[in-house]
Amino acid sequence: MARKLGGRKTTVIVGLVGLLLTVLGGVMIFVVPQLIRDQILQNVRVNPSSLSFDMWKEIPVPFYMSVYLFHVMNSDEVLNGEKPSIQERGPYVYREYRQKRNITFNDNDTVSFLEYRTFVFQPEMSHGLETDYIVMPNLLVLASSVMMEQRPMSMKLLMSLSFSMFGQRAFMNRTVGEILWGYRDPLIDLLNKYFPNMLPFKDKFGLFSEFNNSDSGLFTVFTGVKDFSKIHLVDKWNGKSKLNFWNSDQCNMINGTSGQMWAPFMTPEYNLQFYSPEACRSLSFEYEKSGDFEGIPTYRFVAPNTLFANGSVYPPNEGFCPCLKSGIQNMSSCQLSAPLFLSHPHFYNADPELVESVIGLHPNKEEHSLFLEVHPVTGIPMNCSVKLQLSLYTKAVPGIGQTGRIQPVVLPLLWFEERGAMEGQTLKSFYNRLVLMPKLAQYFQYVLNALGCLFIIITLILIIKNQRTPSAPRGAGPPIRPAPQLPDSPPPGRPPGWTACRQQVLSDLPCLAMAAVWP
């Protein structure tokens, strides 16, 4: 009886444990994803109490800017009307440090900040030194000549005389450091002295002289604390909610984020956008494919073929015109009317005529396309590479002798890549918190469900087994062994009825008496 009672207890316990595990696993299937979602929503907001705030304030990911300069091989021949032949030099690599300062939280769920950038040359990662000499177009001569083309001849002759007085030529031979970060020039000093507000730079002139140790403008972005649907979106840049550089409202819109974080829980239909002060516009990227970076799932976004297309190819870009060939964006309206153009490196995805007009360009997708790989659950970029090229439109301008007989051409000056990838302790911590732990929680809930089902199956087996085993009624003694069947006729010397008495129970008194006399 004790064994039977113990078996029933075991069956009940096993069944309850199985039921509990199954219920717990089922609850986790619905609760765990919601808990993870709530934690992500809480910690990607721009708030000093969120886990991502320090990452947002000072990006822990190492960023590098690689610069490739185009050395003009035949400058004298170009002045005589021949096709330019250029050679790519570099890369010249700089470590880029970014830090947000003057962080101010506003009452309308926004935060304002200035992001300062500092560039430090990395000779061990570079193919050359900052002291390397490069022959490049002289922007002071060629850019200003095109800008003066429609002015009276007397002004152009005066400008040409000024160039001659200060020894300015159409092409210059200067070091990489001077071209990028600036050099002093007597003509610039003269203009700054007598026309203080004419030039946007002081003391030195360089293509990136305004970038180093400076900010990219005052950004005001939504924090997502009160309205999560606007998280990281730019509200204003330099106090403006829209630009005034371009010729249409659509092109002047400030769309997307500041380019460092995006809204979480992306889908492949997500249109990734950010505002770039350097490009003077918002850039839009489209989903290409899913992948992973160091075990972390990512979405890869790339630039559409229409990013720098002109208005005749892609009508929404008409506002960026006046345009030349498709594939280059006219930057003159935001660069003091200088005839500068933005494009992909080597005129990748541009009109083939642009490539054919210069010797030495070899566009290809692997080297010259740009991409952003973003963790879709958090909206944090894991790996990115943004590549852009700056070119100068130049030609011979009558009245300015320095321009010679230069044929109209969009001449590449340089292209640069800004890249960054999460690594080291930051990558390990990100993986553990946002990939490994959710996976373990997911696997654990399935283990609970499997164990619960196993225990329930064991319980059913025990119940079936117990039902097949007969049990004695409660309070009954041990089973009585049936008496052997005796023959009906008594043995010799025994009275009639003796056989029947032998088959009776011992409590039958007459039979007890007979048994005493005739055993």
Side-chain angles (χ1 to χ4, degrees):
M1 182 174 64
R3 280 198 305 268
K4 291 296 179 184
L5 187 59
R8 291 172 181 172
K9 283 185 178 180
T10 301
T11 303
V12 172
I13 292 174
V14 172
L16 290 177
V17 170
L19 182 62
L20 179 62
L21 292 176
T22 304
V23 172
L24 184 59
V27 171
M28 287 184 67
I29 290 177
F30 297 98
V31 173
V32 170
Q34 187 60 43
L35 289 176
I36 294 175
R37 180 182 177 87
D38 291 343
Q39 285 298 309
I40 291 174
L41 292 177
Q42 187 69 28
N43 288 299
V44 297
R45 295 183 171 112
V46 185
N47 190 304
S49 63
S50 68
L51 293 176
S52 64
F53 182 76
D54 290 337
M55 179 184 295
W56 173 85
K57 181 179 179 181
E58 185 170 1
I59 301 176
V61 176
F63 270 86
Y64 295 92
M65 182 178 70
S66 300
V67 183
Y68 299 80
L69 298 168
F70 291 105
H71 174 75
V72 181
M73 306 286 289
N74 61 338
S75 57
D76 293 336
E77 289 79 3
V78 173
L79 287 171
N80 290 323
E82 294 187 17
K83 182 185 295 188
S85 177
I86 59 177
Q87 182 184 62
E88 182 180 283
R89 298 282 182 86
Y92 299 93
V93 182
Y94 295 83
R95 172 70 189 272
E96 183 177 351
Y97 297 90
R98 299 183 182 185
Q99 184 182 39
K100 293 180 176 64
R101 303 177 189 173
N102 299 353
I103 299 175
T104 304
F105 286 90
N106 307 309
D107 295 333
N108 62 340
D109 196 29
T110 63
V111 58
S112 302
F113 60 88
L114 293 170
E115 184 171 67
Y116 284 81
R117 295 173 296 179
T118 304
F119 297 90
V120 179
F121 184 60
Q122 307 291 307
E124 69 282 357
M125 302 177 66
S126 304
H127 193 269
L129 300 174
E130 285 189 305
T131 54
D132 294 347
Y133 277 87
I134 306 289
V135 176
M136 288 191 67
N138 187 343
L139 291 182
L140 291 176
V141 173
L142 296 181
S144 58
S145 297
V146 173
M147 294 165 64
M148 293 289 291
E149 183 179 18
Q150 303 303 323
R151 298 296 179 92
M153 180 61 70
S154 59
M155 293 186 65
K156 290 187 283 187
L157 291 173
L158 181 61
M159 173 175 281
S160 180
L161 178 61
S162 300
F163 288 153
S164 297
M165 289 176 58
F166 286 94
Q168 299 288 341
R169 303 182 61 186
F171 292 91
M172 62 181 186
N173 186 19
R174 292 193 176 273
T175 66
V176 172
E178 290 174 330
I179 294 170
L180 297 181
W181 310 115
Y183 57 90
R184 297 190 67 91
D185 190 280
L187 179 59
I188 296 175
D189 293 339
L190 179 67
L191 293 175
N192 282 329
K193 181 178 180 180
Y194 293 102
F195 306 95
N197 298 319
M198 181 179 178
L199 300 177
F201 44 84
K202 308 297 180 184
D203 299 329
K204 292 184 177 183
F205 171 72
L207 294 176
F208 291 166
S209 59
E210 300 299 308
F211 290 171
N212 202 11
N213 298 314
S214 63
D215 64 84
S216 54
L218 180 65
F219 275 94
T220 301
V221 304
F222 287 97
T223 65
V225 174
K226 296 179 181 178
D227 186 357
F228 191 79
S229 64
K230 296 182 179 180
I231 187 169
H232 300 309
L233 295 180
V234 177
D235 180 38
K236 294 180 180 179
W237 179 71
N238 282 340
K240 301 176 182 178
S241 57
K242 64 178 183 178
L243 307 173
N244 56 6
F245 300 133
W246 313 111
N247 302 318
S248 70
D249 292 337
Q250 181 176 352
C251 292
N252 279 319
M253 293 177 64
I254 298 177
N255 298 321
T257 71
S258 61
Q260 296 169 1
M261 294 178 69
W262 285 268
F265 310 114
M266 292 179 173
T267 64
E269 291 75 29
Y270 187 82
N271 184 22
L272 189 143
Q273 296 178 308
F274 67 92
Y275 175 69
S276 170
E278 292 76 24
C280 304
R281 58 170 288 189
S282 297
L283 301 177
S284 180
F285 295 79
E286 61 186 16
Y287 172 85
E288 182 188 41
K289 62 181 180 180
S290 299
D292 71 90
F293 175 77
E294 301 294 340
I296 298 174
T298 59
Y299 283 172
R300 172 175 279 221
F301 293 88
V302 297
N305 295 334
T306 57
L307 182 63
F308 296 122
N310 61 21
S312 60
V313 174
Y314 186 62
N317 282 353
E318 186 67 37
F320 296 121
C321 294
C323 301
L324 294 178
K325 298 295 182 179
S326 186
I328 56 176
Q329 178 186 317
N330 192 338
M331 299 288 290
S332 60
S333 59
C334 72
Q335 296 294 335
L336 301 174
S337 299
L340 296 173
F341 286 82
L342 196 67
S343 69
H344 295 295
H346 288 240
F347 296 131
Y348 170 70
N349 263 347
D351 192 310
E353 289 188 17
L354 293 167
V355 180
E356 296 168 359
S357 64
V358 180
I359 300 173
L361 295 179
H362 309 283
N364 65 83
K365 180 178 180 180
E366 289 72 21
E367 295 182 20
H368 304 134
S369 63
L370 52 84
F371 68 86
L372 293 169
E373 293 181 345
V374 184
H375 183 228
V377 178
T378 61
I380 296 176
M382 297 288 104
N383 184 26
C384 62
S385 173
V386 177
K387 304 170 184 176
L388 297 172
Q389 176 176 291
L390 188 65
S391 304
L392 172 71
Y393 174 69
T394 186
K395 63 180 181 177
V397 178
I400 303 179
Q402 285 77 9
T403 60
R405 298 194 300 273
I406 300 176
Q407 296 299 308
V409 64
V410 180
L411 188 58
L413 302 175
L414 60 82
W415 71 272
F416 62 93
E417 176 193 20
E418 284 191 290
R419 70 181 188 276
M422 191 174 289
E423 61 183 33
Q425 186 59 40
T426 304
L427 177 64
K428 184 178 180 181
S429 177
F430 189 95
Y431 177 82
N432 289 338
R433 291 183 179 182
L434 296 172
V435 178
L436 182 60
M437 294 304 295
K439 276 188 177 180
L440 291 178
Q442 185 180 22
Y443 292 153
F444 184 63
Q445 66 193 23
Y446 293 140
V447 169
L448 289 180
N449 280 325
L451 288 176
C453 292
L454 178 62
F455 274 68
I456 290 176
I457 292 173
I458 294 174
T459 301
L460 294 176
I461 293 174
L462 291 176
I463 291 174
I464 295 173
K465 184 178 180 181
N466 288 338
Q467 287 180 343
R468 289 181 176 178
T469 303
S471 57
R474 183 171 295 181
I480 299 175
R481 188 165 45 187
Q485 294 294 324
L486 300 176
D488 292 336
S489 58
R494 299 292 190 267
W498 182 89
T499 300
C501 278
R502 295 286 294 176
Q503 295 176 356
Q504 300 294 329
V505 295
L506 296 178
S507 58
D508 192 332
L509 292 179
C511 286
L512 286 175
M514 186 178 294
V517 178
W518 292 284

